[in-house]
Each structure stands twice: as C-alpha cells, then as structure tokens.
Amino acid sequence: MALRLRILPASLFGRLTLVLLVGLVAAQLLSATILLRDRGQTLYQSIQRGFVERTVGIVRLLDVLTPRERARLLPLFHTPESRVRLAEEPSETAPGQGVAEAAAERLRRQLSGRLPPDTELRVVLDNDLRFLTRRRGRDHRPPPPDHPPGMGPEPRPWSALARGRPMARGFFIQIRLTDGTWVQFVRAVPEDVFERPARLLLTLGILLVSVILLALLAVRWLVGPLRTLRSAAEALGRDIRRPPIPERGPLEVAQTAHAFNTMQQRLQRFIDDRARILAAVSHDLKTPLTRMRLRTDLLDDAELRAKLQRDLDDMESMVKATLDFMQGSDSREATQTLDLNALLETIQSDAQDAGWTVSLTGSADAPIQARPKALKRCITNLVENAARYGGGAEIGVEERPGALVILVRDRGPGVPQPLLEQVFEPFFRLEASRARHSGGTGLGLGIARNIARGHGGDLLLRNRVDGGLCAELTLPQ
C-alpha cells in the first residue's frame, strides 16, 4: 500500500489531474477503437451488399445472352477493383478455415437467395492481394484458372474482427450458368476500409487535447480556493486580525470561506476576552500587593520585613512573567517593515551596557515583516538566557531558502537531550544549571517560542558539538 501511494502525486492538483487524464485518455482510446471498427465494418458490409447485388445482376444478364454476346459485354463489367471472366470448368480453390469459412458460407447464402434455385456456386474469402486488378496505382492481371486466389504463397492474415465477422481483402466467387459455363468474379476490397482515416484520427486527437486542457483548467479552478484557504490559514497563525477571505465562488467554496471567517472571529473574541481577563487580574493583583507592601513597611522587625518584601518581589515578578507568557502570542502590535540588523545591534548594545559579553556576526540582506517590540522581547530573552547561564552570547544571522535564521549560542553546560523540549514548558527550571538566585521564573523560553510562532516561525534548541547551547530562531521571509 505504501509503495502504491508513493506513485501518486503528493498534491491534490496532481492527483486530480492524473485521474482525469488517465480516465479521459482511456475513454478516448476506447471510443476511437470502437468507432474505427464500426466504421470499417459498416463500409465492409456496404461493399459486400453492393457486390452481391452487382454479381446477381451480371449472372442474370449473362444467363440470357449467347456466348458471343457474353464475350462482347464481358469487358464492360471490369472495374479497378474487380474482374469478371468466363471458364468452362471451375477453378480449384483452397477452402477457408474457421471464421473465414463461416463468412464465406454467409455470403453464399446471400447469393443463393437471389439466384434461381439449384444454382451451383462457390465462394472463397481471401487475403492474398496478387489477384487484385489494381492496387496503389499498379495494374494486375487476373490469375489464370489453374492459379486461383488463395493458392499463392504467403497468404496474408485476416485484418480485423468486428462482432465476430472477419474482414477479408478480397472475394472470389464462381457461379455456374444454365448452359454449364462458369462465370468467375474477382473483387478486391478498397484499401481505405483497412487504413486508419487520417481526418478522423486528427479530429479525435484534437478532441482529446481540448478535453485535457479543459480538464486541467477545471482542476486548477477547483484547487485554487484550497490554495487561498491554505494561505489564509498560514497568515492567521501570524496575525489573528488579518482581513477575512472573500466569500465567493461555488457554493461549497463560499461556505468553506464563511466557516473559516467565522472561526477567525471566534478566535478573536476568545483572545480579546482572555486579554480583558488578564488585564483585570493584573489590576486586581497589583492593589493587594501594594497594600501588603505598605503594611510590611510598618513592621518593626527589620528581618521579618526584609523577608516579606523579598516574597512580595517574587510574587510580583511571577505575576508579571505569567502575564507576559500568556500575552506573548497575543500582541496587538501591528506588523511592519523592520530593519533586523538595527534591532540586533540595539539588543547587543543593551546587553553590553548590562555588563554581559555579546557578539554579533552576519546580517540580513533585506528588511522583514515583524512586530518590533514582540520580536525584540523574543531575542532579548534568548540573549539574556545565554549570557546569564552560558557566560556570554554569540548572535549570528543566516539566510536560508524562504527563511531568516537567528542563532543565539553560548558556552554553558547545555541541556540534557531529553529535556530540550521540556524547557519550553511554563515554570520548568533546570536545577543543576539554572540556579534560583539568578531570578529566573522558567517562562523566558516559553515566551520567546510563543512570539516566534506568532510570526509564523519557530524556536528550537540544540546542544553544540563543542559545548554549549544554540537557540535557533526561524522567521519567514
């Protein structure tokens, strides 16, 4: 099953195109085969009926004429495809086999039904073209009586079978007149019956190409809304407040677009409600914290007052970090064109002013679309994390196909491989390498990843081969 699936194109457009093309080509080939066979059979039967009527008419005419009158009229019966001659004795012929004999018997019955009773006749259907009088512009003389058609070397095979009836290239009929004379008819079937008609094949080819082109246009037209929906979904991940997609097109497409816009509106309402709740919680928490600080200042015990103030500081820091984490992917900041090189230089300067060692290599060739404040917070969190726990930060910028990558490296102890994803969880801390006295809350990496994904990118961590940790921030271009 897996092998069969790999043969199919990956895209819906490719699969629909493949199914339509295979179906159309198969149907067109089958139709052309049936049409050509029916055409050949119809022409063949028409020629055979005409030959039967002409043969019966000539026999009836010769039967009432004298031998001299017959000899005088005989040349008038010749045509490019047939010859008529008289003989005292019938020519010996090889009997047909299988379907050939059956077809000859049918022709014999047709002739017998139009001739006087007890008329002796012999019929042979043959594919040996040497007895034809004219073929492709060359004249052929009738064979002598001792060398009738069908007895020559290299007999040709039957050309085709249509509805169980063979199509021979020639007829050889011998009929005995009332005076004992035998009249012999040699009739060739025109080559046009067996050749493929160029005009018909050209028409079928044009029809096939036209249908294929229309099918491709139809598939492209049907798949187009899916591409629009995909682009809208990707843009929604970067900006929840993007304009809604147009609700037009076929009914199903318009309904899908309406459902997508409805989903976007519900997400916006959910995020707005969450933002209002967070703002209310932030406001409500600040008030009791302020009262507690004031009451702490009134304590006479200096040691107890210091401990309570440290607890209040921790509480305030955790509340602020928690709000930042929850709002990290819900920035109302507008997306705008940003000079990333200037932003990185600012972050480097601020970190150096704080006493950290930060280097910067590489640069972006062109501005990017981003939310400046959110992106600055994301990179700052990574730089502070590297400088605080890794002894310094090395910022690098790389251009990759369709993406801009910002690398923040350090020379610290790194992170155990099984925990590289777990460190993004809220309040997760590595006790061995992230001491609590450093002031960390375990939310910095989570906030950074939320911001990265809010820009349509991602944030990954990996340990360096030569020691240290590397944070890889990917942003779409």
Side-chain angles (χ1 to χ4, degrees):
M1 177 64 70
L3 180 60
R4 288 201 301 267
L5 291 178
R6 291 194 193 99
I7 299 176
L8 295 176
S11 65
L12 179 61
F13 175 82
R15 294 190 177 188
L16 288 177
T17 301
L18 178 63
V19 171
L20 287 176
L21 288 182
V22 171
L24 289 173
V25 171
Q28 202 70 353
L29 291 177
L30 181 61
S31 300
T33 301
I34 296 174
L35 181 60
L36 290 175
R37 291 180 63 181
D38 287 348
R39 171 188 176 275
Q41 184 65 27
T42 301
L43 290 175
Y44 184 82
Q45 291 176 352
S46 177
I47 292 172
Q48 180 175 310
R49 285 193 297 268
F51 179 52
V52 169
E53 297 296 334
R54 185 170 182 272
T55 300
V56 171
I58 292 175
V59 169
R60 288 175 177 173
L61 178 60
L62 294 177
D63 212 12
V64 299
L65 296 177
T66 63
R68 181 176 296 180
E69 291 172 334
R70 293 172 184 170
R72 187 169 61 250
L73 288 177
L74 201 62
L76 301 179
F77 299 141
H78 295 333
T79 66
E81 290 84 17
S82 65
R83 286 291 186 271
V84 182
R85 64 175 180 267
L86 300 173
E88 295 297 329
E89 297 292 336
S91 300
E92 295 297 329
T93 58
Q97 301 292 331
V99 292
E101 178 60 23
E105 181 61 28
R106 281 194 294 268
L107 182 57
R108 187 181 301 110
R109 287 197 301 266
Q110 293 176 8
L111 290 169
S112 298
R114 292 170 173 80
L115 293 172
D118 300 328
T119 300
E120 186 177 355
L121 59 89
R122 300 179 182 182
V123 179
V124 174
L125 274 63
D126 193 81
N127 278 320
D128 189 353
L129 301 184
R130 292 182 299 114
F131 68 91
L132 300 183
T133 58
R134 184 182 300 274
R135 180 173 180 266
R136 298 180 183 175
R138 294 179 296 177
D139 292 335
H140 297 262
R141 297 185 181 276
D146 59 345
H147 191 71
M151 301 296 291
E154 299 181 1
R156 299 195 179 189
W158 296 87
S159 59
L161 291 177
R163 300 178 183 175
R165 298 182 180 181
M167 296 170 59
R169 292 182 179 268
F171 307 94
F172 182 59
I173 301 175
Q174 302 180 89
I175 301 176
R176 187 174 183 274
L177 302 178
T178 55
D179 62 356
T181 304
W182 288 83
V183 58
Q184 298 177 340
F185 297 87
V186 180
R187 176 68 161 91
V189 178
E191 287 294 314
D192 294 343
V193 176
F194 303 98
E195 294 177 352
R196 300 185 183 276
R199 185 183 297 273
L200 179 60
L201 293 178
L202 179 61
T203 302
L204 292 175
I206 293 175
L207 178 61
L208 177 60
V209 173
S210 301
V211 172
I212 289 176
L213 291 178
L214 290 176
L216 292 177
L217 290 176
V219 171
R220 186 176 183 85
W221 179 60
L222 290 174
V223 177
L226 294 179
R227 295 195 182 99
T228 302
L229 187 62
R230 181 198 63 189
S231 301
E234 292 177 350
L236 185 65
R238 295 189 294 268
D239 182 12
I240 191 64
R241 305 183 190 281
R242 64 174 303 279
I245 60 178
E247 299 178 7
R248 58 173 180 264
L251 178 61
E252 293 80 3
V253 174
Q255 290 176 344
T256 302
H258 177 73
F260 184 86
N261 292 333
T262 302
M263 178 193 68
Q264 180 178 348
Q265 293 172 2
R266 290 174 179 173
L267 288 175
Q268 288 180 0
R269 287 197 298 268
F270 170 76
I271 293 175
D272 291 341
D273 292 343
R274 192 185 71 167
R276 286 192 293 269
I277 293 174
L278 290 176
V281 170
S282 176
H283 179 270
D284 292 343
L285 285 176
K286 287 180 180 178
T287 300
L289 285 175
T290 302
R291 289 200 301 265
M292 292 176 67
R293 284 187 180 279
L294 293 175
R295 292 171 182 173
T296 300
D297 292 338
L298 298 177
L299 292 176
D300 295 333
D301 190 337
E303 183 178 357
L304 178 61
R305 184 171 60 248
K307 291 180 179 180
L308 290 176
Q309 287 178 347
R310 284 196 301 269
D311 290 340
L312 290 174
D313 291 339
D314 290 341
M315 290 177 61
E316 188 172 4
S317 175
M318 293 180 64
V319 169
K320 183 177 181 302
T322 302
L323 294 177
D324 289 342
F325 174 79
M326 299 182 68
Q327 293 176 344
S329 59
D330 181 36
S331 176
R332 294 178 179 269
E333 183 183 6
T335 300
Q336 56 186 278
T337 302
L338 173 65
D339 185 352
L340 182 64
N341 298 323
L343 177 64
L344 294 178
E345 290 174 358
T346 300
I347 294 175
Q348 179 190 25
S349 178
D350 293 342
Q352 289 175 344
D353 292 342
W356 292 328
T357 302
V358 178
S359 62
L360 176 61
T361 58
S363 62
D365 295 335
I368 62 173
Q369 297 294 319
R371 298 194 297 270
K373 293 181 180 179
L375 186 59
K376 181 179 180 180
R377 180 193 299 178
C378 172
I379 301 175
T380 299
N381 284 359
L382 298 177
V383 171
E384 289 182 355
N385 196 65
R388 182 176 294 141
Y389 306 118
E394 304 170 6
I395 306 175
V397 182
E398 294 182 1
E399 296 277 355
R400 296 180 184 176
L404 182 68
V405 180
I406 301 173
L407 302 173
V408 180
R409 308 180 184 91
D410 62 43
R411 295 291 180 179
V415 176
Q417 190 70 25
L419 303 180
L420 285 176
E421 280 296 317
Q422 195 173 354
V423 294
F424 289 104
E425 296 179 3
F427 302 107
F428 182 83
R429 299 165 58 93
L430 291 173
E431 298 298 336
S433 57
R434 304 293 194 261
R436 291 188 180 275
H437 68 269
S438 61
T441 60
L443 292 174
L445 290 177
I447 294 173
R449 172 172 275 189
N450 282 350
I451 295 175
R453 292 179 173 176
H455 282 79
D458 204 356
L459 175 62
L460 300 175
L461 295 180
R462 56 182 172 84
N463 289 307
R464 303 175 65 181
V465 178
D466 54 349
L469 189 67
C470 177
E472 186 174 298
L473 172 63
T474 304
L475 299 174
Q477 283 187 321

